């Protein structure tokens, strides 16, 4: 027997319809790229998104076409996403921090037909466009008054472009499994691969993100997504906020400590999400300039491991709850969040921080397991590492054009490429990327754990650990350090600092000091480059053995 419930396709546009109907006046505030603050609401955003849909159709964009965006978080970028998906086209976010050739490669792979770009990236677009023949139209996200001279033929200012539509238009409807968005992995561990979200996966992802033990947003929140829409599906916030009826505060192009502090306080932001580097900049700013965060209640921190000092400072000094989260572009992107179960109630001090260092437990609709290389389950004892595998309705089942097929198995599990352990309460902790973990004498050493400990030293600004070939142990750790400005830590001092925090065989065989550690476009340590840089480096222990 079939259930007798309605067919109601899970389309992204239904989320905006909900917000415009039940939270019409809720604010969307943006720091515009042109400078001034801009204020609108869900009702007006929906009206403009319909114009975007209508206007795109007039440009010949249809179901399945890829429409690229190269833009900061502003109301215009946000309404473009809805305008694009409103006719079954696919928003394709481009990361402007990638090398121009890599952006061109990605655009060609996706065969983007139209591009929305912010003013900031116009010179970049001028440089790459001749290499991307599929792009027919470029819309510059500004008005006629701010439109600069450009060598791009047919580039038009956005406000004039949508001004030509009257908005008398209805969203198109189609199967909920239709593609809605596309985002390429940032290529930290290889060539970028295309991830294709569906309407259904985006809507379900927002519902899973909405759970109280996940992001738990409400109509009373004012949300500042510092994580750009071009990172990992913008952490789903473009759908989660309207679903909750939460106000959106968009930071535009400015993500330095002073700007983040200003927008947090003037806009009375209650909830924010960003990678650890952004929070480090804010906390350093506050330490230097002073200031409080009276409205901010919660921050979600993910993208790379959150240093303990960030959690501790937010919670103990500023009274802001930190939710450490893990996810991936391939997972829409949320995978787990570290909220406290009753098993951990009452913990304080270091014991609480030990739990908060973990990436947490998965919300409903994310299945998770750890296995050995032969796909056998590993015990959940909080220490045995394994390959982290996931499954769920907002997890990729393939990459675009079949790339990386080896990461998907016949039972539907996706091998994340991360190495992690799980504890008896179902809390996961990332210990490494499979490609970075150091295999020493048949045992594994976690580079992330070593790095996090090393940055706890007061003179260490940034730390990276890589495995170098070793004649006896196969691989041994080398610790690479960027000292804090004005500090000159000694090797022996750092080794002594680490010595009572880790087992002896985890101790780095050597430490080198550098001016800079290479980073990827998403701000992660680029281990591939670092390993290349130190390929011929001789560990002192290699000669001894
Ligand atoms: P890329 O794989 O190219 O870096 P993503 O932005 O999708 O692109 O990054 C996902 C990866 O980031 C995860 O596989 C994991 O290695 C890392 N990551 C994300 N969140 C965390 C976290 N909280 N702690 C440690 N690593 C994290």
């Amino acid at each position: 027997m079939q259930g007798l419930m309605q067919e109601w396709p899970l389309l992204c546009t239904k989320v905006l319809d909900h917000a415009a109907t039940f939270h019409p006046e809720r604010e969307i505030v943006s720091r515009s790229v042109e400078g001034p603050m801009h204020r609108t609401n869900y009702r007006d955003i929906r009206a403009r998104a319909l114009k975007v849909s209508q206007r795109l159709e007039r440009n010949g964009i249809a179901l399945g076409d890829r429409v690229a965006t190269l833009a900061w978080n502003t109301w215009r970028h946000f309404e473009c996403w809805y305008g694009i998906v409103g006719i079954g086209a696919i928003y394709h976010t481009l990361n402007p921090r990638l090398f121009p050739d890599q952006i061109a490669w990605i655009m060609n792979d996706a065969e983007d037909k139209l591009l929305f770009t912010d003013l900031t990236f116009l010179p970049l677009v001028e440089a790459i466009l001749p290499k991307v023949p599929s792009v027919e139209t470029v819309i510059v996200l500004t008005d006629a008054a701010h439109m600069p001279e450009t060598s791009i033929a047919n580039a038009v200012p956005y406000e004039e472009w949508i001004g030509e539509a009257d908005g008398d238009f209805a969203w198109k409807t189609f199967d909920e499994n239709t593609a809605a968005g596309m985002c390429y992995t940032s290529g930290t561990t290889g060539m970028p691969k295309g991830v294709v979200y569906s309407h259904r996966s985006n809507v379900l992802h927002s519902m899973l993100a909405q759970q109280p033990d996940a992001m738990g947003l409400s109509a009373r929140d004012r949300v500042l997504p510092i994580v750009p829409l071009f990172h990992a599906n913008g952490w789903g916030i473009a759908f989660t906020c309207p679903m909750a009826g939460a106000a959106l505060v968009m930071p535009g192009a400015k993500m330095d400590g002073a700007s983040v502090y200003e927008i947090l306080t003037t806009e009375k932001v209650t909830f924010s999400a960003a990678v650890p580097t952004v929070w480090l900049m804010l906390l350093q700013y506050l330490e230097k300039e002073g200031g409080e965060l009276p409205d901010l209640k919660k921050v979600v921190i993910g993208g790379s491991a959150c240093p303990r000092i960030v959690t501790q400072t937010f919670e103990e000094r500023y009274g802001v709850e930190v939710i450490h989260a893990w996810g991936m572009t391939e997972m829409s992107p949320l995978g787990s969040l570290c909220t406290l179960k009753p098993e951990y109630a009452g913990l304080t001090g270091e014991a609480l921080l030990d739990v908060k260092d973990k990436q947490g437990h998965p919300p409903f609709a994310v299945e998770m397991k750890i296995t050995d290389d032969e796909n056998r389950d590993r015990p959940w004892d909080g220490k045995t590492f394994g390959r982290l595998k996931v499954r769920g309705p907002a997890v990729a089942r393939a990459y675009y054009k079949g790339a990386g097929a080896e990461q998907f198995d016949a039972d539907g599990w996706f091998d994340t490429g991360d190495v992690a352990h799980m504890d008896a309460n179902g809390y996961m902790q990332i210990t490494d990327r499979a490609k970075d973990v150091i295999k020493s004498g048949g045992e594994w050493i976690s580079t992330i754990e070593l790095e996090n400990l090393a940055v706890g030293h007061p003179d260490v600004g940034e730390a990276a650990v890589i495995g170098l070939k070793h004649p006896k142990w196969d691989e041994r750790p080398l610790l690479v350090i960027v000292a804090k400005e004005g500090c000159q830590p000694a090797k022996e001092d750092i080794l002594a600092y680490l010595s009572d925090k880790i087992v002896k065989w985890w101790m780095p065989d050597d430490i080198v000091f550098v001016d800079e550690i290479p980073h990827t476009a998403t701000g992660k340590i680029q281990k591939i480059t670092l390993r290349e840089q130190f390929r011929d480096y001789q560990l002192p222990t290699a000669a001894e053995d």
Side-chain angles (χ1 to χ4, degrees):
M1 187 162 77
Q2 291 276 297
L4 292 175
M5 292 293 139
Q6 300 183 0
E7 292 276 337
W8 196 83
L10 302 177
L11 299 181
C12 296
T13 43
K14 289 203 190 289
V15 177
L16 188 58
D17 288 347
H18 169 80
T21 309
F22 296 106
H23 308 274
E25 303 279 342
R26 195 81 60 240
E27 264 195 317
I28 294 159
V29 186
S30 313
R31 194 195 295 280
S32 69
V33 175
E34 295 87 349
M37 295 302 282
H38 174 275
R39 310 187 97 85
T40 179
N41 60 36
Y42 282 122
R43 185 186 46 227
D44 293 351
I45 284 284
R46 180 177 179 275
R48 279 166 59 93
L50 279 166
K51 289 187 179 186
V52 173
S53 284
Q54 191 179 17
R55 199 58 193 77
L56 281 172
E57 230 184 27
R58 213 180 292 165
N59 269 89
I61 300 296
L63 186 86
D65 283 341
R66 272 76 72 202
V67 175
T69 65
L70 198 49
W72 301 113
N73 289 5
T74 67
W75 81 102
R76 287 189 181 120
H77 194 181
F78 176 69
E79 69 198 16
C80 279
W81 273 32
Y82 281 95
I84 294 165
V85 299
I87 53 167
I90 300 160
Y91 63 85
H92 173 205
T93 50
L94 297 168
N95 184 344
R97 298 182 187 131
L98 294 173
F99 289 117
D101 276 351
Q102 213 170 6
I103 299 176
W105 184 91
I106 287 173
M107 293 181 81
N108 281 322
D109 195 57
E111 297 162 74
D112 297 324
K113 275 183 88 168
L114 185 142
L115 169 69
F116 289 105
T117 177
D118 264 335
L119 284 167
T120 326
F121 309 119
L122 210 50
L124 174 65
V125 175
E126 286 171 348
I128 58 179
L129 218 56
K131 297 179 194 156
V132 191
S134 60
V135 173
E136 293 161 4
T137 315
V138 174
I139 314 287
V140 185
L141 294 164
T142 191
D143 53 21
H146 293 89
M147 183 74 181
E149 286 284 316
T150 167
S151 62
I152 302 166
N154 309 326
V156 279
Y158 177 76
E159 294 299 338
E160 276 55 36
W161 178 77
I162 60 165
E164 289 165 15
D166 60 13
D168 184 14
F169 194 78
W171 308 124
K172 297 273 186 272
T173 54
F174 28 76
D175 185 88
E176 64 183 18
N177 288 302
T178 304
M182 227 175 155
C183 183
Y184 279 68
T185 60
S186 63
T188 309
T189 56
M191 279 306 272
K193 294 188 280 279
V195 175
V196 185
Y197 309 109
S198 65
H199 281 259
R200 174 185 152 86
S201 69
N202 273 341
V203 173
L204 288 176
H205 178 267
S206 284
M207 295 175 92
L208 77 86
Q210 271 300 77
Q211 298 171 62
D213 270 318
M215 287 193 181
L217 295 179
S218 82
R220 292 164 296 286
D221 278 310
R222 292 178 64 81
V223 179
L224 176 74
I226 307 179
V227 53
L229 288 171
F230 58 76
H231 272 185
N233 208 20
W235 294 11
I237 284 177
F239 306 108
T240 315
C241 280
M243 189 178 274
L248 263 171
V249 181
M250 300 291 221
K254 293 195 175 160
M255 278 157 272
D256 59 286
S259 305
V260 168
Y261 179 63
E262 187 197 335
I263 203 165
L264 278 172
T265 45
T266 55
E267 293 303 332
K268 299 192 181 314
V269 168
T270 61
F271 179 105
S272 185
V275 294
T277 347
V278 167
W279 297 124
L280 277 167
M281 286 193 296
L282 173 72
L283 294 177
Q284 277 165 15
Y285 170 84
L286 287 174
E287 195 181 316
K288 220 167 117 204
E289 305 293 330
E292 297 298 327
L293 299 167
D295 302 295
L296 191 62
K297 305 251 168 347
K298 254 192 225 180
V299 286
V300 172
I301 307 184
S304 52
C306 178
R308 180 176 281 222
I309 189 76
V310 171
T311 310
Q312 191 172 12
T313 311
F314 262 128
E315 299 214 331
E316 294 175 7
R317 166 69 184 82
Y318 297 101
V320 176
E321 181 188 353
V322 168
I323 303 180
H324 190 191
W326 166 84
M328 304 181 75
T329 306
E330 292 86 334
M331 300 184 71
S332 299
L334 289 180
S336 66
L337 298 102
C338 194
T339 49
L340 293 183
K341 295 188 189 179
E343 288 84 344
Y344 289 137
L347 288 181
T348 54
E350 294 296 314
L352 176 64
L353 291 170
D354 283 345
V355 175
K356 294 226 154 199
D357 278 350
K358 298 182 186 228
Q359 280 77 3
H361 51 100
F364 172 71
V366 175
E367 290 181 68
M368 189 175 273
K369 66 176 182 178
I370 46 167
T371 75
D372 63 15
D373 286 342
E374 275 72 50
N375 200 25
R376 287 180 300 231
D377 283 347
R378 308 225 79 188
W380 289 19
D381 58 8
K383 57 176 195 274
T384 310
F385 311 171
R387 289 179 163 274
L388 181 61
K389 296 182 181 171
V390 292
R391 203 159 67 166
V395 177
R397 64 179 160 84
Y399 288 109
Y400 187 53
K401 294 183 176 164
E406 66 287 351
Q407 280 177 263
F408 304 89
D409 77 13
D411 299 322
W413 289 95
F414 168 66
D415 188 334
T416 62
D418 283 334
V419 176
H421 54 65
M422 306 277 300
D423 72 13
N425 293 318
Y427 281 63
M428 179 275 286
Q429 184 158 17
I430 301 279
T431 55
D432 239 315
R433 288 218 164 177
K435 290 193 169 113
D436 298 337
V437 70
I438 298 172
K439 294 186 174 154
S440 172
E443 298 290 340
W444 292 5
I445 299 175
S446 159
T447 63
I448 292 188
E449 210 169 317
L450 282 179
E451 287 158 7
N452 283 346
L453 284 171
V455 292
H457 187 285
D459 295 346
V460 173
E462 194 177 15
V465 175
I466 50 170
L468 293 187
K469 284 269 158 261
H470 190 281
K472 183 167 172 193
W473 301 108
D474 190 18
E475 281 181 341
R476 289 295 303 157
L478 171 73
L479 173 58
V480 183
I481 283 177
V482 179
K484 269 197 191 150
E485 227 181 285
C487 299
Q488 281 183 316
K491 216 186 256 189
E492 297 67 35
D493 187 32
I494 292 172
L495 289 174
Y497 173 81
L498 292 175
S499 63
D500 61 350
K501 297 180 179 63
I502 46 175
V503 288
K504 200 158 171 273
W505 60 274
W506 274 42
M507 285 293 281
D509 280 23
D510 203 2
I511 300 181
V512 286
F513 295 93
V514 294
D515 292 335
E516 206 183 339
I517 286 174
H519 289 100
T520 67
T522 48
K524 295 175 194 182
I525 296 173
Q526 202 155 34
K527 298 262 172 106
I528 302 179
T529 315
L530 206 57
R531 276 194 290 267
E532 190 55 32
Q533 207 173 318
F534 287 97
R535 200 181 42 181
D536 299 323
Y537 189 84
Q538 279 294 315
L539 288 171
T541 51
E544 286 161 19
D545 286 298

